[in-house]
Amino acid sequence: QVQLVESGGGSVQPGGSLRLSCAVSGRTSDDYAIGWFRQAPGKEREGLSCILLRDDSTHYADFVKGRFTITRDNAKNTVYLQMNSLKLEDTADYYCAAHEEYSDVCPPTSLWDYWGQGTQVTVSS
């Protein structure tokens, strides 16, 4: 069993930055992927980025490339999502998740195995 706890959400003005953290505990392996997702009110949950623990390769949805960066700190068992140049439309609940089986790309949202409780991000002027 894997547990994930997000933190770092909050309110920010357009153009601002936030760094989200995902603390991962429990038994993982190099086959795992850790991903970030978001869900805005009335919309489906969408994948943003993931990092593959086998080789630290990273993948991004096109609409966040160049603005969001995913990294991990092995010593802290934490995965981060640095979000820059935030826009009004980035307002959502943000979640991290873990996928157990190896995949060389970010699996579809419905296939992730473990989820955190989420952290809210509000971008407003």
Side-chain angles (χ1 to χ4, degrees):
Q1 190 78 5
V2 173
Q3 294 81 40
L4 306 109
V5 179
E6 304 94 337
S7 61
S11 296
V12 65
Q13 292 185 338
S17 298
L18 281 175
R19 188 179 76 160
L20 305 182
S21 300
C22 174
V24 183
S25 60
R27 189 171 182 176
T28 63
S29 73
D30 284 349
D31 288 341
Y32 271 65
I34 305 296
W36 282 99
F37 302 78
R38 71 185 181 189
Q39 187 166 18
K43 295 188 177 182
E44 293 187 354
R45 191 169 296 188
E46 59 184 357
L48 305 175
S49 179
C50 76
I51 184 166
L52 309 182
L53 300 192
R54 179 173 292 188
D55 58 7
D56 280 346
S57 61
T58 58
H59 304 268
Y60 297 91
D62 287 343
F63 57 88
V64 301
K65 282 181 180 177
R67 295 195 302 129
F68 293 5
T69 303
I70 189 170
T71 58
R72 73 161 173 162
D73 184 330
N74 289 341
K76 296 181 179 180
N77 292 325
T78 300
V79 175
Y80 302 98
L81 185 69
Q82 177 68 41
M83 306 188 296
N84 298 328
S85 302
L86 284 163
K87 306 174 182 180
L88 297 174
E89 53 264 39
D90 292 319
T91 295
D93 292 325
Y94 283 69
Y95 300 87
C96 63
H99 185 267
E100 289 182 309
E101 295 184 6
Y102 178 74
S103 173
D104 58 359
V105 296
C106 298
T109 302
S110 62
L111 297 183
W112 290 71
D113 300 292
Y114 305 100
W115 291 85
Q117 293 300 306
T119 186
Q120 189 173 53
V121 172
T122 302
V123 184
S124 68
S125 54

